[in-house]
Each structure stands twice: as C-alpha cells, then as structure tokens.
Amino acid sequence: MRIALALCLVMGSTFIGQALSASSRRRVALLKNWILGVKMLRIHMSGMLETVDKALRMTDCPAMVQVSENMQNGQSAATAWQSLREKLCRHGNALDALKTSDREVLDNLFENLGQTGRSAQSMHLQSILKQLSDQLENARMQLSECQRLYVTVGFLVGLMLALVVI
Amino acid sequence: MTIADRLEDCISKEAVLCLMQNMESLREIRIRIGQPVQIVAGETFQAGEPVDLKMMKNMLLKLTDFSLYSREEEVKSGYFTLDDGSRVGICGKAACQDGKIVQLTHVGSMAIRISRACPGCAGPIVESMIHEDTLPSTLVFSSPGMGKTTMLRDIARQLSILGHQVAIADERHEIAACVQGIPGMDVGPCTDVMDGCPKGLAIGQMVRAISPEVLVTDEIGHHQDAEALSDAVRCGVTIVASAHGESLEALLNRPILARMLNEGLFKMLVQLGECPGKIIGQWRFQGNNWEGGQFQCV
C-alpha cells in the first residue's frame, strides 16, 4: 500500500513539473502560429495585392483575424492592434504566454503594416519573420530547459515525499 | 462607406459637415496642403482649417484602405480608384527614372472626383443607336467633368437590358467600379467586365474570348487603343467609347482620334457640355468604312 502511494506521489509530482512548463509550450505554439500567419500575410499582400484587412482575414491566426475585424471601423492596422493588444495579452487570454520581447515584434509588425510601397512591405514582413523565428528559437530553448528543470524537480520532490511516506 | 465617412478623421469637422450637407450634389473634393478643403457641388465651397502634411498622409492611407502597396502602380500613374468608382487624382513630388515615374514620394494635393450612377441618362443616345439596323459605333466626347463615364455606364446598362452582349474594358475601374472582379455599379445583366487591364490588351482578349456584340471603353486616344478598336470593329463588334475633346475640331486635331474618325471607325459622335450629362451635339458618319468620309451634324 505504502509503495503504491509512494509511486503515485513520484508520478504525480513529475506531471505537476511538466504542467508548469505549459506556458513555455504555449509560447512556442503561439509563435509558430504567428510565423505561419505572417507568411500567409506576405502571400496575400505582396503576391495577390489584397488590402491589409483582407490579407489579415485570410490568415489562420485568430489574433490577426480580430485585428482585421477591428479595421472594419476604419482604423489602421496599428490602431486596431493597439486596442486589442492589452486585452489579448492579459492573463488567461489568447496571447498571455507571449513575452514582452515577442509583443514588441508584433507591435513593430502592425506599426508599419500597409504604410509603404510593395517592396518596402515585402522587406518589412521578411524582417518580422526573421525576428519571430529568432523568438521561436529562443522559446524552444527555454522550453527544453524548463521542461527538464521542472520535471527533474517534480520527480525529486515526489521521491522525497515517497521516502517520507515509506 | 461614403466619402464623408472615409475622410471623417482626416479633415476638420467643418469640412466633414460641409461634405455631408452637399452629399447629393457633390462632384469633386479638392485637397491641397496649406489650403482649406474645396468642395465642388453645384457651387464651390472652401471649408475648415488648412490641410497639413499629416492630414494629407492620413487621407492617402485611409483612401487606400491602409494598403498603399496595393495601389502603388496606380499611384505612380497619378490616380487610383475607390471601391465606388470615384477617382482620386494625386499630385506631388515624383521620382523618375528612364523617363518613367518610379515613385510619387510626397503627395501635395488630391482631387477626388465622385462617381455616381445616373440610370436613364443615356436614353436619347441608346434610342438613336437602336433606331438603325445595326448598332452604330459611338464616340462620346466632352471636356472633363461632363459625365462621359456616367453616360458610357448607362449605355452599357441599357444595351445589356435590351439583350445585347456587352463587354466593358474598364482600365481605370471607373465604369463598373469592380471589387474583386464583381461590378459595384449596375452595368446590366448581359455585361462582362475586364477590370484594371490596359485597354489595348483587354479589348483584343475580350473579342477573342467572350464574343461581345458591344464593347465599351473609356478615354481612348493612344495608339494601342486605336489598333485594338480597329481590330474589334473589323470583327463586327460595335464600339462605344469616350474621349476628351471640347469640340469636333479639337478631336480632329488629335492625330490618333482623327485617323479613327476619318476611317469611319465611329458611325455616331455625341458631344456633352454646358452641364454634366447634357447632349449638345450629335453627328453621323457619311461614307464608306476604311475609305473615309465626313461627319454630318444631326
């Protein structure tokens, strides 16, 4: 009985450790989604010459679609993003896992979106993709570190509790 | 969205109010840096504070749906067209290379010409056209701002309603005001539109691809237009076109138009003037095709 309880404690603590790194995992997923979104944006803006709001609507990124909806009221992409940013990044909302540096890249994305000629827009999106890829790389490294750390700590805590129980 | 809604946050409240009050008869909005907004609606009003650089930049962005890149080619040629068919002409500092404008950097002024449908305005012209055994090719001409495009749109609509297969080569999006290929203006049930394509190219392609009975196009006068229109007429298509010209003599002083007229490409000429949409002259071609002849006043 005690051995079974000890095993449960070890396993439970390990899972808790893994759950603690969920925020980092969500950050990675979000950044991947934004990278895909920006790639789609580039296709629709540079290739098909769609307007910004239509191009944003064509992406699979929910936040971009929301920005596009806000643009229907005659707002620029930057204004539409700024009015959504706080709400989306608040705890428990869609973009809460993003770090300040990630948000700065997104601010930069929307600040200049649609405001210049075709080649300048293409270069802008290319630069944003590079910045987002760097952030993703960084997020992946943090995730692997966090995962290893939290799982190890969880396992050790579980082991200690198991020893106490036994 | 009306033009007043579009410009609401970019110009002063007095100017917006003046726009809204004159919406019914609004013809033009002229915006120049350092000057109040000029609203042409029957009479000309000056409204609000002088426009500054920031206001002008905001206006340009808003009128291009915050997507300047998507209108870059049009901006380079000095104008772009809004979704409702209104045309925004732009002046400013141009950067040129090899004799061509590569970029319009600083916009100093804008002239927004309001497009409006006027169903039925082309009634007399259409009646003259259908009165004959075969529809005569027709050229509508006038000074700028006399309603040539509105007239062409209504001719297309009425001929289309009468069952003629109509094709519109709408290089500047002004006749049909297409959004994503779908006409925003009523151009009739039997009308096909080639939007945003150079006239010379569009005419040849439409004649080959969709066999129209009537081909409508705006503001002819280039060598390529003349070639394409001649080919279309040889294929048996009726042409309805417009051109700038304050008199028949002025038209005949333009070499390319003079050649088209003297060859008998157009069988009927209609002059608009005095006020928008008013027909002040009509001529018929007397002579043989391709051999020459004269226009006689009707």
Side-chain angles (χ1 to χ4, degrees), chain B residues 252-274:
Chain B
L252 291 167
N253 276 331
R254 294 173 65 185
I256 294 166
L257 278 172
R259 206 191 82 202
M260 285 196 270
L261 294 177
N262 290 329
E263 281 182 352
L265 203 72
F266 293 100
K267 300 291 178 209
M268 194 164 95
L269 301 183
V270 177
Q271 184 180 10
L272 307 179
E274 290 176 14

mmCIF file with all atom_site columns, all heavy atoms in Angstrom, chain B residues 252-274:
data_model
loop_
_atom_site.group_PDB
_atom_site.id
_atom_site.type_symbol
_atom_site.label_atom_id
_atom_site.label_alt_id
_atom_site.label_comp_id
_atom_site.label_asym_id
_atom_site.label_entity_id
_atom_site.label_seq_id
_atom_site.pdbx_PDB_ins_code
_atom_site.Cartn_x
_atom_site.Cartn_y
_atom_site.Cartn_z
_atom_site.occupancy
_atom_site.B_iso_or_equiv
_atom_site.pdbx_formal_charge
_atom_site.auth_seq_id
_atom_site.auth_comp_id
_atom_site.auth_asym_id
_atom_site.auth_atom_id
_atom_site.pdbx_PDB_model_num
ATOM 1   N N   . LEU B 1 252 ? -10.498 66.289 -84.009 1.00 0.00 ? 252 LEU B N   1
ATOM 2   C CA  . LEU B 1 252 ? -9.809  66.057 -85.289 1.00 0.00 ? 252 LEU B CA  1
ATOM 3   C C   . LEU B 1 252 ? -8.369  66.572 -85.280 1.00 0.00 ? 252 LEU B C   1
ATOM 4   O O   . LEU B 1 252 ? -7.586  66.238 -86.150 1.00 0.00 ? 252 LEU B O   1
ATOM 5   C CB  . LEU B 1 252 ? -10.599 66.696 -86.444 1.00 0.00 ? 252 LEU B CB  1
ATOM 6   C CG  . LEU B 1 252 ? -11.934 65.993 -86.732 1.00 0.00 ? 252 LEU B CG  1
ATOM 7   C CD1 . LEU B 1 252 ? -12.809 66.832 -87.642 1.00 0.00 ? 252 LEU B CD1 1
ATOM 8   C CD2 . LEU B 1 252 ? -11.717 64.603 -87.337 1.00 0.00 ? 252 LEU B CD2 1
ATOM 9   N N   . ASN B 1 253 ? -8.050  67.373 -84.282 1.00 0.00 ? 253 ASN B N   1
ATOM 10  C CA  . ASN B 1 253 ? -6.664  67.843 -84.150 1.00 0.00 ? 253 ASN B CA  1
ATOM 11  C C   . ASN B 1 253 ? -5.791  66.844 -83.381 1.00 0.00 ? 253 ASN B C   1
ATOM 12  O O   . ASN B 1 253 ? -4.599  67.055 -83.245 1.00 0.00 ? 253 ASN B O   1
ATOM 13  C CB  . ASN B 1 253 ? -6.632  69.194 -83.433 1.00 0.00 ? 253 ASN B CB  1
ATOM 14  C CG  . ASN B 1 253 ? -6.880  70.313 -84.407 1.00 0.00 ? 253 ASN B CG  1
ATOM 15  O OD1 . ASN B 1 253 ? -6.559  70.194 -85.588 1.00 0.00 ? 253 ASN B OD1 1
ATOM 16  N ND2 . ASN B 1 253 ? -7.477  71.393 -83.939 1.00 0.00 ? 253 ASN B ND2 1
ATOM 17  N N   . ARG B 1 254 ? -6.421  65.808 -82.856 1.00 0.00 ? 254 ARG B N   1
ATOM 18  C CA  . ARG B 1 254 ? -5.636  64.769 -82.175 1.00 0.00 ? 254 ARG B CA  1
ATOM 19  C C   . ARG B 1 254 ? -5.393  63.655 -83.195 1.00 0.00 ? 254 ARG B C   1
ATOM 20  O O   . ARG B 1 254 ? -6.339  62.984 -83.615 1.00 0.00 ? 254 ARG B O   1
ATOM 21  C CB  . ARG B 1 254 ? -6.379  64.254 -80.940 1.00 0.00 ? 254 ARG B CB  1
ATOM 22  C CG  . ARG B 1 254 ? -6.512  65.329 -79.857 1.00 0.00 ? 254 ARG B CG  1
ATOM 23  C CD  . ARG B 1 254 ? -7.380  64.885 -78.728 1.00 0.00 ? 254 ARG B CD  1
ATOM 24  N NE  . ARG B 1 254 ? -6.797  63.760 -77.990 1.00 0.00 ? 254 ARG B NE  1
ATOM 25  C CZ  . ARG B 1 254 ? -7.422  63.128 -77.004 1.00 0.00 ? 254 ARG B CZ  1
ATOM 26  N NH1 . ARG B 1 254 ? -8.637  63.512 -76.638 1.00 0.00 ? 254 ARG B NH1 1
ATOM 27  N NH2 . ARG B 1 254 ? -6.844  62.123 -76.393 1.00 0.00 ? 254 ARG B NH2 1
ATOM 28  N N   . PRO B 1 255 ? -4.134  63.463 -83.615 1.00 0.00 ? 255 PRO B N   1
ATOM 29  C CA  . PRO B 1 255 ? -3.847  62.593 -84.776 1.00 0.00 ? 255 PRO B CA  1
ATOM 30  C C   . PRO B 1 255 ? -4.482  61.202 -84.701 1.00 0.00 ? 255 PRO B C   1
ATOM 31  O O   . PRO B 1 255 ? -5.070  60.751 -85.687 1.00 0.00 ? 255 PRO B O   1
ATOM 32  C CB  . PRO B 1 255 ? -2.313  62.492 -84.762 1.00 0.00 ? 255 PRO B CB  1
ATOM 33  C CG  . PRO B 1 255 ? -1.850  63.675 -83.996 1.00 0.00 ? 255 PRO B CG  1
ATOM 34  C CD  . PRO B 1 255 ? -2.916  64.030 -83.033 1.00 0.00 ? 255 PRO B CD  1
ATOM 35  N N   . ILE B 1 256 ? -4.380  60.560 -83.556 1.00 0.00 ? 256 ILE B N   1
ATOM 36  C CA  . ILE B 1 256 ? -4.884  59.173 -83.482 1.00 0.00 ? 256 ILE B CA  1
ATOM 37  C C   . ILE B 1 256 ? -6.403  59.144 -83.575 1.00 0.00 ? 256 ILE B C   1
ATOM 38  O O   . ILE B 1 256 ? -6.982  58.336 -84.317 1.00 0.00 ? 256 ILE B O   1
ATOM 39  C CB  . ILE B 1 256 ? -4.378  58.488 -82.194 1.00 0.00 ? 256 ILE B CB  1
ATOM 40  C CG1 . ILE B 1 256 ? -2.855  58.332 -82.289 1.00 0.00 ? 256 ILE B CG1 1
ATOM 41  C CG2 . ILE B 1 256 ? -5.041  57.132 -81.967 1.00 0.00 ? 256 ILE B CG2 1
ATOM 42  C CD1 . ILE B 1 256 ? -2.168  57.988 -81.014 1.00 0.00 ? 256 ILE B CD1 1
ATOM 43  N N   . LEU B 1 257 ? -7.040  60.087 -82.857 1.00 0.00 ? 257 LEU B N   1
ATOM 44  C CA  . LEU B 1 257 ? -8.503  60.153 -82.921 1.00 0.00 ? 257 LEU B CA  1
ATOM 45  C C   . LEU B 1 257 ? -8.957  60.549 -84.327 1.00 0.00 ? 257 LEU B C   1
ATOM 46  O O   . LEU B 1 257 ? -9.926  59.996 -84.851 1.00 0.00 ? 257 LEU B O   1
ATOM 47  C CB  . LEU B 1 257 ? -9.028  61.157 -81.896 1.00 0.00 ? 257 LEU B CB  1
ATOM 48  C CG  . LEU B 1 257 ? -9.147  60.625 -80.462 1.00 0.00 ? 257 LEU B CG  1
ATOM 49  C CD1 . LEU B 1 257 ? -9.477  61.754 -79.510 1.00 0.00 ? 257 LEU B CD1 1
ATOM 50  C CD2 . LEU B 1 257 ? -10.220 59.552 -80.366 1.00 0.00 ? 257 LEU B CD2 1
ATOM 51  N N   . ALA B 1 258 ? -8.224  61.499 -84.920 1.00 0.00 ? 258 ALA B N   1
ATOM 52  C CA  . ALA B 1 258 ? -8.585  61.952 -86.265 1.00 0.00 ? 258 ALA B CA  1
ATOM 53  C C   . ALA B 1 258 ? -8.549  60.784 -87.244 1.00 0.00 ? 258 ALA B C   1
ATOM 54  O O   . ALA B 1 258 ? -9.449  60.625 -88.079 1.00 0.00 ? 258 ALA B O   1
ATOM 55  C CB  . ALA B 1 258 ? -7.623  63.050 -86.705 1.00 0.00 ? 258 ALA B CB  1
ATOM 56  N N   . ARG B 1 259 ? -7.521  59.929 -87.107 1.00 0.00 ? 259 ARG B N   1
ATOM 57  C CA  . ARG B 1 259 ? -7.411  58.773 -88.010 1.00 0.00 ? 259 ARG B CA  1
ATOM 58  C C   . ARG B 1 259 ? -8.610  57.838 -87.829 1.00 0.00 ? 259 ARG B C   1
ATOM 59  O O   . ARG B 1 259 ? -9.220  57.401 -88.801 1.00 0.00 ? 259 ARG B O   1
ATOM 60  C CB  . ARG B 1 259 ? -6.101  58.027 -87.706 1.00 0.00 ? 259 ARG B CB  1
ATOM 61  C CG  . ARG B 1 259 ? -5.571  57.255 -88.908 1.00 0.00 ? 259 ARG B CG  1
ATOM 62  C CD  . ARG B 1 259 ? -4.459  56.338 -88.518 1.00 0.00 ? 259 ARG B CD  1
ATOM 63  N NE  . ARG B 1 259 ? -4.987  55.094 -87.963 1.00 0.00 ? 259 ARG B NE  1
ATOM 64  C CZ  . ARG B 1 259 ? -4.297  54.291 -87.169 1.00 0.00 ? 259 ARG B CZ  1
ATOM 65  N NH1 . ARG B 1 259 ? -3.086  54.600 -86.805 1.00 0.00 ? 259 ARG B NH1 1
ATOM 66  N NH2 . ARG B 1 259 ? -4.826  53.174 -86.737 1.00 0.00 ? 259 ARG B NH2 1
ATOM 67  N N   . MET B 1 260 ? -8.953  57.601 -86.554 1.00 0.00 ? 260 MET B N   1
ATOM 68  C CA  . MET B 1 260 ? -10.087 56.701 -86.281 1.00 0.00 ? 260 MET B CA  1
ATOM 69  C C   . MET B 1 260 ? -11.379 57.277 -86.843 1.00 0.00 ? 260 MET B C   1
ATOM 70  O O   . MET B 1 260 ? -12.197 56.560 -87.412 1.00 0.00 ? 260 MET B O   1
ATOM 71  C CB  . MET B 1 260 ? -10.223 56.479 -84.765 1.00 0.00 ? 260 MET B CB  1
ATOM 72  C CG  . MET B 1 260 ? -9.182  55.554 -84.175 1.00 0.00 ? 260 MET B CG  1
ATOM 73  S SD  . MET B 1 260 ? -9.642  54.977 -82.529 1.00 0.00 ? 260 MET B SD  1
ATOM 74  C CE  . MET B 1 260 ? -8.912  56.224 -81.524 1.00 0.00 ? 260 MET B CE  1
ATOM 75  N N   . LEU B 1 261 ? -11.550 58.584 -86.663 1.00 0.00 ? 261 LEU B N   1
ATOM 76  C CA  . LEU B 1 261 ? -12.791 59.220 -87.132 1.00 0.00 ? 261 LEU B CA  1
ATOM 77  C C   . LEU B 1 261 ? -12.851 59.240 -88.655 1.00 0.00 ? 261 LEU B C   1
ATOM 78  O O   . LEU B 1 261 ? -13.876 58.919 -89.247 1.00 0.00 ? 261 LEU B O   1
ATOM 79  C CB  . LEU B 1 261 ? -12.889 60.646 -86.590 1.00 0.00 ? 261 LEU B CB  1
ATOM 80  C CG  . LEU B 1 261 ? -13.040 60.777 -85.058 1.00 0.00 ? 261 LEU B CG  1
ATOM 81  C CD1 . LEU B 1 261 ? -13.063 62.234 -84.652 1.00 0.00 ? 261 LEU B CD1 1
ATOM 82  C CD2 . LEU B 1 261 ? -14.315 60.101 -84.581 1.00 0.00 ? 261 LEU B CD2 1
ATOM 83  N N   . ASN B 1 262 ? -11.728 59.597 -89.278 1.00 0.00 ? 262 ASN B N   1
ATOM 84  C CA  . ASN B 1 262 ? -11.720 59.683 -90.746 1.00 0.00 ? 262 ASN B CA  1
ATOM 85  C C   . ASN B 1 262 ? -11.897 58.322 -91.409 1.00 0.00 ? 262 ASN B C   1
ATOM 86  O O   . ASN B 1 262 ? -12.414 58.226 -92.521 1.00 0.00 ? 262 ASN B O   1
ATOM 87  C CB  . ASN B 1 262 ? -10.426 60.341 -91.226 1.00 0.00 ? 262 ASN B CB  1
ATOM 88  C CG  . ASN B 1 262 ? -10.415 61.821 -90.868 1.00 0.00 ? 262 ASN B CG  1
ATOM 89  O OD1 . ASN B 1 262 ? -11.475 62.454 -90.812 1.00 0.00 ? 262 ASN B OD1 1
ATOM 90  N ND2 . ASN B 1 262 ? -9.241  62.360 -90.584 1.00 0.00 ? 262 ASN B ND2 1
ATOM 91  N N   . GLU B 1 263 ? -11.444 57.276 -90.731 1.00 0.00 ? 263 GLU B N   1
ATOM 92  C CA  . GLU B 1 263 ? -11.616 55.926 -91.304 1.00 0.00 ? 263 GLU B CA  1
ATOM 93  C C   . GLU B 1 263 ? -13.046 55.414 -91.145 1.00 0.00 ? 263 GLU B C   1
ATOM 94  O O   . GLU B 1 263 ? -13.385 54.359 -91.650 1.00 0.00 ? 263 GLU B O   1
ATOM 95  C CB  . GLU B 1 263 ? -10.661 54.947 -90.604 1.00 0.00 ? 263 GLU B CB  1
ATOM 96  C CG  . GLU B 1 263 ? -9.233  55.048 -91.108 1.00 0.00 ? 263 GLU B CG  1
ATOM 97  C CD  . GLU B 1 263 ? -8.333  54.041 -90.428 1.00 0.00 ? 263 GLU B CD  1
ATOM 98  O OE1 . GLU B 1 263 ? -8.789  53.385 -89.467 1.00 0.00 ? 263 GLU B OE1 1
ATOM 99  O OE2 . GLU B 1 263 ? -7.178  53.914 -90.851 1.00 0.00 ? 263 GLU B OE2 1
ATOM 100 N N   . GLY B 1 264 ? -13.831 56.132 -90.370 1.00 0.00 ? 264 GLY B N   1
ATOM 101 C CA  . GLY B 1 264 ? -15.214 55.708 -90.163 1.00 0.00 ? 264 GLY B CA  1
ATOM 102 C C   . GLY B 1 264 ? -15.369 54.626 -89.113 1.00 0.00 ? 264 GLY B C   1
ATOM 103 O O   . GLY B 1 264 ? -16.322 53.847 -89.117 1.00 0.00 ? 264 GLY B O   1
ATOM 104 N N   . LEU B 1 265 ? -14.421 54.592 -88.180 1.00 0.00 ? 265 LEU B N   1
ATOM 105 C CA  . LEU B 1 265 ? -14.495 53.610 -87.087 1.00 0.00 ? 265 LEU B CA  1
ATOM 106 C C   . LEU B 1 265 ? -15.746 53.854 -86.244 1.00 0.00 ? 265 LEU B C   1
ATOM 107 O O   . LEU B 1 265 ? -16.406 52.931 -85.798 1.00 0.00 ? 265 LEU B O   1
ATOM 108 C CB  . LEU B 1 265 ? -13.241 53.766 -86.219 1.00 0.00 ? 265 LEU B CB  1
ATOM 109 C CG  . LEU B 1 265 ? -12.824 52.574 -85.405 1.00 0.00 ? 265 LEU B CG  1
ATOM 110 C CD1 . LEU B 1 265 ? -12.263 51.504 -86.310 1.00 0.00 ? 265 LEU B CD1 1
ATOM 111 C CD2 . LEU B 1 265 ? -11.774 52.985 -84.382 1.00 0.00 ? 265 LEU B CD2 1
ATOM 112 N N   . PHE B 1 266 ? -16.065 55.150 -86.092 1.00 0.00 ? 266 PHE B N   1
ATOM 113 C CA  . PHE B 1 266 ? -17.272 55.514 -85.341 1.00 0.00 ? 266 PHE B CA  1
ATOM 114 C C   . PHE B 1 266 ? -18.324 56.047 -86.315 1.00 0.00 ? 266 PHE B C   1
ATOM 115 O O   . PHE B 1 266 ? -18.015 56.863 -87.175 1.00 0.00 ? 266 PHE B O   1
ATOM 116 C CB  . PHE B 1 266 ? -16.950 56.581 -84.286 1.00 0.00 ? 266 PHE B CB  1
ATOM 117 C CG  . PHE B 1 266 ? -16.059 56.072 -83.199 1.00 0.00 ? 266 PHE B CG  1
ATOM 118 C CD1 . PHE B 1 266 ? -14.703 56.347 -83.205 1.00 0.00 ? 266 PHE B CD1 1
ATOM 119 C CD2 . PHE B 1 266 ? -16.573 55.281 -82.187 1.00 0.00 ? 266 PHE B CD2 1
ATOM 120 C CE1 . PHE B 1 266 ? -13.877 55.859 -82.216 1.00 0.00 ? 266 PHE B CE1 1
ATOM 121 C CE2 . PHE B 1 266 ? -15.745 54.786 -81.182 1.00 0.00 ? 266 PHE B CE2 1
ATOM 122 C CZ  . PHE B 1 266 ? -14.398 55.078 -81.199 1.00 0.00 ? 266 PHE B CZ  1
ATOM 123 N N   . LYS B 1 267 ? -19.536 55.570 -86.156 1.00 0.00 ? 267 LYS B N   1
ATOM 124 C CA  . LYS B 1 267 ? -20.615 55.998 -87.045 1.00 0.00 ? 267 LYS B CA  1
ATOM 125 C C   . LYS B 1 267 ? -21.417 57.144 -86.421 1.00 0.00 ? 267 LYS B C   1
ATOM 126 O O   . LYS B 1 267 ? -22.220 57.780 -87.085 1.00 0.00 ? 267 LYS B O   1
ATOM 127 C CB  . LYS B 1 267 ? -21.573 54.833 -87.305 1.00 0.00 ? 267 LYS B CB  1
ATOM 128 C CG  . LYS B 1 267 ? -20.911 53.646 -87.954 1.00 0.00 ? 267 LYS B CG  1
ATOM 129 C CD  . LYS B 1 267 ? -20.531 53.972 -89.361 1.00 0.00 ? 267 LYS B CD  1
ATOM 130 C CE  . LYS B 1 267 ? -19.826 52.793 -90.000 1.00 0.00 ? 267 LYS B CE  1
ATOM 131 N NZ  . LYS B 1 267 ? -18.887 53.228 -91.010 1.00 0.00 ? 267 LYS B NZ  1
ATOM 132 N N   . MET B 1 268 ? -21.236 57.310 -85.123 1.00 0.00 ? 268 MET B N   1
ATOM 133 C CA  . MET B 1 268 ? -22.014 58.352 -84.445 1.00 0.00 ? 268 MET B CA  1
ATOM 134 C C   . MET B 1 268 ? -21.135 59.055 -83.413 1.00 0.00 ? 268 MET B C   1
ATOM 135 O O   . MET B 1 268 ? -20.373 58.390 -82.702 1.00 0.00 ? 268 MET B O   1
ATOM 136 C CB  . MET B 1 268 ? -23.211 57.694 -83.754 1.00 0.00 ? 268 MET B CB  1
ATOM 137 C CG  . MET B 1 268 ? -24.263 58.664 -83.302 1.00 0.00 ? 268 MET B CG  1
ATOM 138 S SD  . MET B 1 268 ? -25.790 57.803 -82.928 1.00 0.00 ? 268 MET B SD  1
ATOM 139 C CE  . MET B 1 268 ? -25.648 57.575 -81.191 1.00 0.00 ? 268 MET B CE  1
ATOM 140 N N   . LEU B 1 269 ? -21.214 60.360 -83.370 1.00 0.00 ? 269 LEU B N   1
ATOM 141 C CA  . LEU B 1 269 ? -20.486 61.131 -82.366 1.00 0.00 ? 269 LEU B CA  1
ATOM 142 C C   . LEU B 1 269 ? -21.490 61.877 -81.496 1.00 0.00 ? 269 LEU B C   1
ATOM 143 O O   . LEU B 1 269 ? -22.478 62.409 -82.021 1.00 0.00 ? 269 LEU B O   1
ATOM 144 C CB  . LEU B 1 269 ? -19.557 62.160 -83.012 1.00 0.00 ? 269 LEU B CB  1
ATOM 145 C CG  . LEU B 1 269 ? -18.466 61.683 -83.961 1.00 0.00 ? 269 LEU B CG  1
ATOM 146 C CD1 . LEU B 1 269 ? -17.630 62.875 -84.415 1.00 0.00 ? 269 LEU B CD1 1
ATOM 147 C CD2 . LEU B 1 269 ? -17.569 60.671 -83.271 1.00 0.00 ? 269 LEU B CD2 1
ATOM 148 N N   . VAL B 1 270 ? -21.235 61.897 -80.203 1.00 0.00 ? 270 VAL B N   1
ATOM 149 C CA  . VAL B 1 270 ? -22.131 62.622 -79.295 1.00 0.00 ? 270 VAL B CA  1
ATOM 150 C C   . VAL B 1 270 ? -21.281 63.551 -78.450 1.00 0.00 ? 270 VAL B C   1
ATOM 151 O O   . VAL B 1 270 ? -20.304 63.113 -77.840 1.00 0.00 ? 270 VAL B O   1
ATOM 152 C CB  . VAL B 1 270 ? -22.899 61.630 -78.379 1.00 0.00 ? 270 VAL B CB  1
ATOM 153 C CG1 . VAL B 1 270 ? -23.774 62.385 -77.390 1.00 0.00 ? 270 VAL B CG1 1
ATOM 154 C CG2 . VAL B 1 270 ? -23.726 60.654 -79.183 1.00 0.00 ? 270 VAL B CG2 1
ATOM 155 N N   . GLN B 1 271 ? -21.653 64.827 -78.420 1.00 0.00 ? 271 GLN B N   1
ATOM 156 C CA  . GLN B 1 271 ? -20.898 65.770 -77.594 1.00 0.00 ? 271 GLN B CA  1
ATOM 157 C C   . GLN B 1 271 ? -21.716 66.156 -76.364 1.00 0.00 ? 271 GLN B C   1
ATOM 158 O O   . GLN B 1 271 ? -22.910 66.459 -76.461 1.00 0.00 ? 271 GLN B O   1
ATOM 159 C CB  . GLN B 1 271 ? -20.568 67.031 -78.407 1.00 0.00 ? 271 GLN B CB  1
ATOM 160 C CG  . GLN B 1 271 ? -19.695 67.986 -77.613 1.00 0.00 ? 271 GLN B CG  1
ATOM 161 C CD  . GLN B 1 271 ? -19.347 69.255 -78.376 1.00 0.00 ? 271 GLN B CD  1
ATOM 162 O OE1 . GLN B 1 271 ? -19.899 69.514 -79.447 1.00 0.00 ? 271 GLN B OE1 1
ATOM 163 N NE2 . GLN B 1 271 ? -18.441 70.043 -77.824 1.00 0.00 ? 271 GLN B NE2 1
ATOM 164 N N   . LEU B 1 272 ? -21.061 66.120 -75.201 1.00 0.00 ? 272 LEU B N   1
ATOM 165 C CA  . LEU B 1 272 ? -21.701 66.551 -73.955 1.00 0.00 ? 272 LEU B CA  1
ATOM 166 C C   . LEU B 1 272 ? -21.130 67.908 -73.578 1.00 0.00 ? 272 LEU B C   1
ATOM 167 O O   . LEU B 1 272 ? -19.958 68.179 -73.838 1.00 0.00 ? 272 LEU B O   1
ATOM 168 C CB  . LEU B 1 272 ? -21.426 65.558 -72.827 1.00 0.00 ? 272 LEU B CB  1
ATOM 169 C CG  . LEU B 1 272 ? -21.762 64.084 -73.073 1.00 0.00 ? 272 LEU B CG  1
ATOM 170 C CD1 . LEU B 1 272 ? -21.396 63.256 -71.843 1.00 0.00 ? 272 LEU B CD1 1
ATOM 171 C CD2 . LEU B 1 272 ? -23.246 63.917 -73.363 1.00 0.00 ? 272 LEU B CD2 1
ATOM 172 N N   . GLY B 1 273 ? -21.927 68.712 -72.909 1.00 0.00 ? 273 GLY B N   1
ATOM 173 C CA  . GLY B 1 273 ? -21.392 70.006 -72.483 1.00 0.00 ? 273 GLY B CA  1
ATOM 174 C C   . GLY B 1 273 ? -22.393 70.851 -71.752 1.00 0.00 ? 273 GLY B C   1
ATOM 175 O O   . GLY B 1 273 ? -23.515 70.405 -71.465 1.00 0.00 ? 273 GLY B O   1
ATOM 176 N N   . GLU B 1 274 ? -21.975 72.056 -71.438 1.00 0.00 ? 274 GLU B N   1
ATOM 177 C CA  . GLU B 1 274 ? -22.740 73.059 -70.666 1.00 0.00 ? 274 GLU B CA  1
ATOM 178 C C   . GLU B 1 274 ? -22.936 72.633 -69.220 1.00 0.00 ? 274 GLU B C   1
ATOM 179 O O   . GLU B 1 274 ? -22.535 73.322 -68.300 1.00 0.00 ? 274 GLU B O   1
ATOM 180 C CB  . GLU B 1 274 ? -24.090 73.395 -71.320 1.00 0.00 ? 274 GLU B CB  1
ATOM 181 C CG  . GLU B 1 274 ? -23.935 74.180 -72.617 1.00 0.00 ? 274 GLU B CG  1
ATOM 182 C CD  . GLU B 1 274 ? -25.252 74.437 -73.316 1.00 0.00 ? 274 GLU B CD  1
ATOM 183 O OE1 . GLU B 1 274 ? -26.325 74.255 -72.705 1.00 0.00 ? 274 GLU B OE1 1
ATOM 184 O OE2 . GLU B 1 274 ? -25.206 74.811 -74.506 1.00 0.00 ? 274 GLU B OE2 1
#
